[in-house]
Amino acid sequence: MKKIFLIFTLLFSFIIVNAQVITILNEETGEPLDLVSLSSNEPRAYSTTNSKGEVDISAFKGADIINIRLIGFSSINKSFAELEKTPNIYLEPASIDMDKIVISANRSNQVSSGVPSKIETLSAKDIALFNPQTAADLLTITGNVFIQKSQQGGGSPMIRGFSTNRLLYTVDGVRMNTAIFRAGNIQNVISLDPFAMERTEVFFGPGSVIYGSDAIGGVMSFQTLVAELSATDDAFVTGNAVTRYSSANNEKTVHFDVNLGWKKFAMLTSISSNDYGDLKMGTNGPEEYLCPYFVTRQDSTDIVNTNPNPLVQTPSGYTQMNMMQKFRFKPNQNWDFQYGFHYSETSDYSRYDRHIRYKNGLPRYGEWYYGPQKWMMNNLNITNNSNIFLYDQMTFRVAQQYFEESRISRDINKDARETRIEKVDAYSVNLDLTKSLGKKNTFFYGGEYVQNLVKSTGIDTDISTEESVPGASRYPQSTWQSYGIYLTDKFEVSKKFTIQAGARYSGYILDSEFDTTFYPFPFTTANINDGKLTGSLGFVVRPTEKWIISMNASTGYRSPNVDDVGKVFDSEPGSVVVPNPNLQAEYAYSADLGIAKMFGDVVKIDLTGYYTILENALVRRDYTLNGLDSITYDGEMSKVQAIQNAAQATVYGVQAGLDIKLPAGFGLSSDFNWQKGEEELDDGSVSPSRHAPPWYGVSRLTYNANRLSMQFYADYSGEVTFENMPEDEKGKDYMYAIDVDGNPYSPSWYTVNFKAMYRMTDNFTVSAGIENITDQRYRPYSSGIVAPGRNLIFSLRAKF
C-alpha cells in the first residue's frame, strides 16, 4: 500500500517551479509572435508562445541547445543560460526555410529535415490569408493535394494517386477514419473547422508503421487550437471574432473563439456558423457544365423547372455549425492534461452529381440528398515528460467519437422514398512514447486499440401516404476492431547522416451480421481475424546546411472494413454491389527519393520522386449471388458486382517545389505534381487509376511587409482525354465535357487569383480576395459539381 501511495504521489504531486518567461518578437515590426515552437533534446522539452509572444522556459533548464522556430522566420538556437539573461528574443522574417517542426512523422515533435518522408505544413497565418471555406479547401493551400467534390458539401482529397479509404485523417492525434469509409468519394473532412486549426500537416506516402490501416497514400494531421496558459501570475484572456462573405455562393460565415488561462488551468471555446447558398459557376467554359433544369415538388407532382440562371447549380446550398470546447490542466512542467470536445453538424445537402443524371430525357431523381452529417469527439490527452528508464516523453490518448450520415433518394415521379441511416460509435486508445539513448539514438514506440460499432438502418416511405416501413440497410450490423504495436529508431550517425527504421504489427477483427429479409444472401455472418506486419527504412543525408537528400522505403496496408465486406448499393445505373465476406487486406510497397537544395538564401528547390505498388487491391468486379450474375435492385435488373481482392495497382510520380526570395519583401513560389496510376482490370488489361488526377499545381507571387501580406497566384490542372480516362469514368458523360468525337473528357483549366490581408491595428485585421478573376467555368477532374466562378471574398477579424 505504501508503494502504491508513493507512486501516486510521484506521478501527480504538484511541483512548484518559478516561472521564467521570455517574449519572442518579430525583428522587423516588434510585434509578438504566436505559436513559435521551442524544443530541446536534453532535457526533452517542447513549448510554444501564446498570442502575446510569451513562453515559460522553466522546462528547458540546463539545455545547451534550444531550437526556436516559426514558419516564415529564420530559426535560431539558444542555450537556457542565454535565454535567462535575455527577456526579449527577436526572429528575422524569412520566406525560405529548410527546417520545420513536424509531429505527424512519429507522433512527436521533431525537425522536418531529419525525417526521410516528405511533409507539408500549414500555419494558422496561411489559413487566415487564404480564407478557405472548408477543411477540404484548406488542404489545397499546400499545392500538393488535389480535391474532388461531388457536391458543394464535399471534398475528397487525392494524394499521390490514392484517395478515400486509402488515406488517413487524424484530429489532435486521434484517428478519424471509420469502418464505413468507402472507396467512393467521401466528405468527412468538411466536419473540421478551418478557424479552429492551429496547424495542419500532410505526410506523403505510407504511414502504416505509426498509424496502422488506411495510411497508404498519406496522412492528413489536423492539430486544433490548444488552450493557452498564462505565462505570468495574471489571467491570460485572448480571442477572435471573424465575419466573412463570399459572392460565388453568397456565403455568410461568423466565428468566435475565446481563451481564458491561468498558470495551471486554461479553457478555450470556439464556435463557427456557415451559410452557403447555391454555387455559381463561371461564364467561360464548356456548355455541358451548365445547369439548365432543376426539380421541385408541387402538389404531389415533380416539376422539371427551367433554370433562370444556368450558371447557378441548383440545388447545392447548405449550412453548417462547428463547436469546440477545451480544458487544460498543467500542474507542473512534467504533466499536461488536455480534454477536448468537438461537435459538427450540417444541414441536409443535395448530392449534385445525382441531380444531373438523366433517364428517358428527364432527370432521374426527384430527390437525392444527404441528411445532416454529424461528428462528435471527446478526447483526453495526457502528456508526461520524465527522464526515466521507459521514456523521456509519454503521451496517452483516449477518445470517443460519434458519426452519423444518411442518404435519401427518390426517383422522379415516384412515391417511394428510400432513407438509409448509418451511425458509428468509435473508441480509441493510443500510447506513444519517446526515449533518447545518448545523443544519437531516439526511439519512438507505442500501441493502439480502435473499436467501431456500426449500426445501419433502412426506411422506405410512401410519400403519398406518409407511411414508412423498414427497408434494406446499407450495411450489416458490425463491430470492427484494430490493434497494433510499433517501434521506430532514429539514429544520428553524424551531423550529416541519419537513419530511421521502424516496424509495426497490426491485427484487425471484423464481425458482421447480415439481414436476409430483403436480399437472399447465402450467408448470415462475416468474420475476419487477421494481421499485417509493416515496416520502413529511411536515410537523410545532409552534405551541407543547405542541401538535404532523403531516401525512404516503406510498406502500408488497408484492412477490409464494413464498407468493403457488407455494402449493398447501386454503384451506377444497371449495376449493384453486394456483400463479399471473403476479403483480405491490401498491401502497398513504396519508395521515395527527395532532394532539397538552397542556393544562397534566395532560392530553394525541392524535388521528390516516388513509386508505389499496391497488391491484393480491393476493387469492384463482376460477381454472382446465389449463382445469378444479375438481380432486380430498386425495380431495375442490375448486374451483380462485389468488392474483391482482384487487382494490382501501381502509382508513380514527381512532386516539385520552387521558392525564390525577391527584393523588397517579394517572393515567388511554385508547386507541381505529376502522377500516373494504373490498375489491373478483370480481363488482365490495364486502366488508368481513377484516383490519380492529371498534373496540377500552383504558382504564387507573394509580398510581405510590416502589416500587409498579399498573394497573386494561379492554380492549374491538365487535361484527361477520353483515351486516358479510367474505365470507371468513361460511362459518366453527365459529369464531363464532350470532345469532337462525342466522348467524355476532362479539359485542362486554370484560375488566376488574388488575396490580401492587412492588419489595420493591433486588434483589427481585414482580408479580401478575388478568386477565379477571369471567371473560368471548370470542373476539377472526377468532380460532380462545377467549381466556383469569379468569387469576391471579404473578411474582418477582431482580436482581443
Side-chain angles (χ1 to χ4, degrees), residues 538-601:
F539 305 91
V540 179
V541 181
R542 194 160 189 170
T544 70
E545 286 297 312
K546 297 184 178 182
W547 188 11
I548 300 174
I549 303 171
S550 61
M551 296 160 281
N552 191 56
S554 57
T555 59
Y557 80 99
R558 185 176 76 82
S559 62
N561 63 18
V562 177
D563 185 84
D564 299 311
V565 171
K567 176 172 56 182
V568 178
F569 84 122
D570 56 330
S571 57
E572 58 191 22
S575 297
V576 59
V577 171
V578 301
N580 179 8
N582 302 307
L583 296 178
Q584 299 176 343
E586 50 188 13
Y587 201 83
Y589 301 86
S590 185
D592 296 57
L593 174 62
I595 300 174
K597 173 69 174 173
M598 283 187 67
F599 299 89
D601 293 323

Side-chain angles (χ1 to χ4, degrees), residues 15 82 125 203 256 325 395 400 412 464 467 604 643 661 690:
I15 302 171
E82 289 176 308
K125 184 179 179 181
F203 176 99
F256 175 79
Q325 180 64 54
T395 301
Q400 176 268 333
I412 194 166
S464 65
E467 292 183 357
K604 176 187 173 184
I643 302 296
K661 182 180 180 181
R690 176 187 173 194

Side-chain angles (χ1 to χ4, degrees), residues 133-134 149-154 190 248-250 275-281 291 293-295 307 309-320 346-353 355-356 368-370 779 784-788:
Q133 291 191 356
T134 69
K149 292 186 179 183
S150 297
Q151 64 282 327
Q152 186 176 194
I190 71 168
N249 56 358
N250 198 28
D275 186 342
Y276 307 111
D278 288 338
L279 184 63
K280 184 178 180 180
M281 67 183 78
C291 179
Y293 308 107
F294 62 90
V295 177
N307 194 344
N309 186 353
L311 299 179
V312 178
Q313 299 173 87
T314 304
S316 60
Y318 73 104
T319 62
Q320 181 170 336
T346 70
S347 65
D348 295 341
Y349 55 101
S350 293
R351 179 163 173 177
Y352 182 77
D353 65 343
H355 286 273
I356 58 176
W368 212 118
Y369 61 92
Y370 290 104
R779 177 180 268 141
I785 195 165
V786 183

Side-chain angles (χ1 to χ4, degrees), residues 367 407-410 415-421 457-474 517-519 633-635:
E367 299 175 87
R407 297 161 177 79
I408 299 92
S409 63
R410 181 178 58 81
D415 292 333
R417 174 192 291 151
E418 296 182 349
T419 301
R420 303 296 180 258
I421 304 170
T457 305
I459 302 172
D460 293 339
T461 302
D462 185 329
I463 63 172
S464 65
T465 63
E466 297 186 357
E467 292 183 357
S468 296
V469 296
S473 62
R474 181 178 172 89
T517 303
F518 302 95
Y519 301 108
Y633 178 80
D634 198 18

Side-chain angles (χ1 to χ4, degrees), residues 41-42 64-65 436-442 490-495:
N41 289 326
E42 295 183 6
D64 293 327
I65 300 177
S436 296
L437 297 180
K439 295 184 178 181
K440 293 182 177 291
N441 248 30
T442 303
K490 179 183 176 183
F491 179 55
E492 189 175 310
V493 180
S494 68
K495 292 292 184 182

